[in-house]
Amino acid sequence: MHTIAAISTPQASGGIGIVRISGDNARTVAGKVFSSVSGKKLDEIAGYTSLFGSVHDDEGTFDQCVAANYRAPKSYTGEDVVELSCHGGLYLLRRLLNACIAAGAVLAQPGEFTRRAYLNGKMDLTQAESVMELISAQGKGAARAARAGQEGRLHDKICAAQEQLTAAASHLAAWADFPEENVPEVESGTLGTQLKEVQQKLRELLSGFDTGRVLREGVDTVIAGRPNVGKSTLMNLLAGCEKSIVTSYAGTTRDVVEDTVLLGGIPLRLADTAGLRDTSDPVEQLGVLRSRSRVEAAQLVLAVFDSSEPLREEDQQFIEMLGDTPAIAVINKNDLQSRIDNSYIQSKFKQIVYISALQGSGLKELQNAVQQVLHLQSIDPTSGVLFTQRQQAAAQRALAAVNEALEALENGMTLDAVTVCVEDAISALLELTGENVSETVVNQVFETFCVGK
Ligand code: GDP
Ligand code: ZN
């Protein structure tokens, strides 16, 4: 395999920039562009140690450099790796990369370092995908989940399910070969129990996919309600800064203001909408129209009400407009005397929280309510969750095959029929971990990576 090189730090100026080289000739390539102050060569030092020196090309020395040495197989890729750390100017890094290419390396493809790590058995496909997630994680929850994935938590879960299926399949095979010996484990009761356990595991895994996606992408959230109930104040409280204009006159928040905030580790992509009410002001009308379509398209609506006033007809119209969109009734201004009719709201919303956006109370309850409506409460992001649609599709195929196997068993079909389904399930799980997967799929996974990772 070629020795590859790429700039592994962002394509922008920074304090430090790194060119990573991986492959059989990594030290040879690095040795042609790097000279140490001590005179030592990379071949003379152990793995996980470094040399200080400078880098040069045909035109001379152009920067100081630390060369870190990693020996196969104890490196990220599993091959010999050298990381050259220089000053992080883009000009310098490109010059260094060109020098490495002149010295015999080829430019790495997107994700090629991680792809080699996968091909060399340093990680499975779910771990490689987690690397990608880890890089792009925006919130703590997403980062924790990605790290768990990279550590192989998801891999372990899938393997456990797969081992159970393999055990079932081998019992089935033994029975098929020696039917007269009456292999006891194949007694359909035991087999059924085994399959149901796997079915349960896969269902849990699949329900975790939504959590993974929520943590990664955030929840499209709309703060809505009639004017003056405190939407902008709530928005500001959540955002922790002055994003929308807060005034005590009705109808001033005309446009949609957006911000991503973290509520208990869940990224909410928030929009504060213009007051939802009938208006003749054309500018305001535009804002109202936009907010209606936003509410319909949202994944979550924080429906704000003013507890210091009786419910108005506009509030009721607003509630009717919510339709099926998951919504939380946020009854604001609970620092004031309550005059709102709670029973009507209770009949319309499953989740109700009382807050004072002005005083900043009730956020914890709001956070719990968000987890409840989005069904996030029961899933621990560090237990290994499905991240990508590729993973989800493979897990779905495995579950469908297990369901079919159980059906065949219950309908008294031949054990051959059951065996076929179990084998299908195993092959879907092998595809999930990347142990048995087509080159096309592998290419698709690494296509989304950046060069240098
Ligand atoms: P919006 O039109 O729904 O965005 O409402 P605003 O956020 O602009 O708030 C309208 C008025 O209600 C302002 O004077 C806020 O200070 C006030 N307000 C908002 N939240 C609270 C609260 O929790 N308690 C009290 N007492 N006043 C609030
Ligand atoms: Zn407002």
Side-chain angles (χ1 to χ4, degrees), residues 158-209:
I158 299 161
C159 284
Q162 185 208 311
E163 273 161 23
Q164 257 178 312
L165 288 174
T166 308
S170 60
H171 290 320
L172 282 164
W175 182 85
D177 289 344
F178 310 102
E180 69 283 359
E181 286 181 26
N182 196 14
V183 183
E185 283 87 348
V186 187
E187 184 224 325
S188 64
T190 316
L191 187 61
T193 315
Q194 261 175 329
L195 290 175
K196 275 185 187 138
E197 271 174 37
V198 176
Q199 183 186 46
Q200 186 54 28
K201 277 184 190 158
L202 291 173
R203 278 185 185 151
E204 277 166 23
L205 212 51
L206 280 162
S207 70
F209 177 71

Side-chain angles (χ1 to χ4, degrees), residues 139-450:
K140 195 163 117 192
R144 283 172 66 204
R147 198 167 144 61
Q150 205 205 337
E151 285 172 345
R153 225 63 65 75
L154 177 58
H155 174 83
D156 293 347
K157 271 192 181 175
I158 299 161
C159 284
Q162 185 208 311
E163 273 161 23
Q164 257 178 312
L165 288 174
T166 308
S170 60
H171 290 320
L172 282 164
W175 182 85
D177 289 344
F178 310 102
E180 69 283 359
E181 286 181 26
N182 196 14
V183 183
E185 283 87 348
V186 187
E187 184 224 325
S188 64
T190 316
L191 187 61
T193 315
Q194 261 175 329
L195 290 175
K196 275 185 187 138
E197 271 174 37
V198 176
Q199 183 186 46
Q200 186 54 28
K201 277 184 190 158
L202 291 173
R203 278 185 185 151
E204 277 166 23
L205 212 51
L206 280 162
S207 70
F209 177 71
D210 292 329
T211 303
R213 188 168 50 189
V214 161
L215 293 175
R216 188 175 69 242
E217 294 171 7
V219 185
D220 215 338
T221 307
V222 170
I223 300 180
R226 70 166 169 79
N228 239 23
V229 290
K231 297 182 296 295
S232 304
T233 312
L234 174 59
M235 173 86 170
N236 289 341
L237 174 68
L238 291 171
C241 66
E242 297 280 308
K243 277 272 175 180
S244 335
I245 322 146
V246 185
T247 68
S248 38
Y249 300 99
T252 46
T253 320
R254 281 188 170 142
D255 226 328
V256 175
V257 184
E258 291 194 60
D259 211 351
T260 299
V261 304
L262 288 176
L263 185 64
I266 305 163
L268 301 182
R269 288 196 312 276
L270 282 179
D272 168 24
T273 60
L276 291 161
R277 64 162 190 175
D278 294 327
T279 171
S280 50
D281 177 344
V283 179
E284 208 173 281
Q285 233 168 16
L286 199 67
V288 171
L289 275 178
R290 209 174 294 169
S291 58
R292 281 195 186 213
S293 60
R294 293 284 314 222
V295 164
E296 277 157 21
Q299 292 170 291
L300 174 67
V301 177
L302 302 181
V304 186
F305 302 96
D306 182 342
S307 74
S308 70
E309 292 183 13
L311 219 52
R312 297 189 194 170
E313 209 187 304
E314 303 160 80
D315 289 312
Q316 298 186 358
Q317 282 169 358
F318 163 56
I319 292 173
E320 296 313 319
M321 196 195 81
L322 287 175
D324 293 336
T325 313
I328 297 167
V330 179
I331 303 183
N332 189 31
K333 308 194 190 182
N334 82 337
D335 53 295
L336 302 176
Q337 173 87 42
S338 173
R339 299 186 56 216
I340 199 167
D341 173 14
N342 282 332
S343 60
Y344 184 75
I345 291 184
Q346 271 160 4
S347 72
K348 296 286 179 182
F349 290 89
K350 281 202 201 102
Q351 292 293 330
I352 302 171
V353 291
Y354 297 87
I355 69 162
S356 168
L358 199 64
Q359 297 185 340
S361 65
L363 274 186
K364 185 74 198 161
E365 288 72 16
L366 183 58
Q367 176 190 323
N368 290 340
V370 169
Q371 291 183 332
Q372 294 276 343
V373 271
L374 299 174
H375 307 291
L376 299 175
Q377 72 282 17
S378 57
I379 293 142
D380 170 9
T382 61
S383 71
V385 291
L386 297 172
F387 270 115
T388 67
Q389 274 173 5
R390 183 196 74 80
Q391 295 171 356
Q392 184 198 30
Q396 275 167 343
R397 271 202 306 282
L399 179 59
V402 170
N403 289 344
E404 233 179 289
L406 275 165
E407 227 169 89
L409 207 59
E410 275 154 22
N411 295 341
M413 309 259 290
T414 64
L415 288 179
D416 270 356
V418 182
T419 306
V420 170
C421 299
V422 170
E423 276 165 5
D424 279 352
I426 293 173
S427 103
L429 291 180
L430 287 174
E431 202 175 298
L432 181 43
T433 56
E435 271 166 81
N436 184 6
V437 75
S438 75
E439 176 132 13
T440 324
V441 171
V442 175
N443 289 343
Q444 277 166 0
V445 167
F446 290 100
E447 241 162 42
T448 58
F449 273 59
C450 41

Side-chain angles (χ1 to χ4, degrees), residues 11-185:
Q11 301 283 323
S13 304
I16 293 174
I18 294 175
V19 169
R20 186 190 256 166
I21 310 164
S22 179
D24 290 345
N25 294 324
R27 284 195 296 277
T28 315
V29 169
K32 286 185 188 165
V33 302
F34 169 83
S35 319
S36 71
V37 168
S38 65
K40 270 198 184 158
K41 303 259 183 280
L42 286 162
D43 273 328
E44 297 162 13
I45 61 167
Y48 283 89
T49 57
S50 306
L51 291 173
F52 176 69
S54 60
V55 281
H56 46 80
D57 57 14
D58 290 350
E59 291 166 41
T61 297
F62 57 87
D63 199 9
Q64 297 177 318
C65 178
V66 173
N69 203 24
Y70 303 91
R71 289 177 182 269
K74 292 186 174 177
S75 71
Y76 181 73
T77 57
E79 305 172 327
D80 281 337
V81 170
V82 178
E83 284 179 3
L84 300 172
S85 305
C86 293
H87 289 104
L90 211 45
Y91 162 77
L92 286 175
L93 289 171
R94 289 197 177 136
R95 188 166 166 185
L96 178 55
L97 180 59
N98 284 336
C100 292
I101 287 163
V106 301
L107 196 62
Q109 299 292 309
E112 196 170 359
F113 292 100
T114 309
R115 185 190 187 118
R116 288 187 175 195
Y118 159 68
L119 292 174
N120 289 326
K122 299 292 286 187
M123 56 175 79
D124 83 337
L125 213 48
T126 66
Q127 286 168 295
E129 284 165 326
S130 302
V131 170
M132 186 67 189
E133 297 299 334
L134 201 54
I135 294 169
S136 57
Q138 289 189 356
K140 195 163 117 192
R144 283 172 66 204
R147 198 167 144 61
Q150 205 205 337
E151 285 172 345
R153 225 63 65 75
L154 177 58
H155 174 83
D156 293 347
K157 271 192 181 175
I158 299 161
C159 284
Q162 185 208 311
E163 273 161 23
Q164 257 178 312
L165 288 174
T166 308
S170 60
H171 290 320
L172 282 164
W175 182 85
D177 289 344
F178 310 102
E180 69 283 359
E181 286 181 26
N182 196 14
V183 183
E185 283 87 348

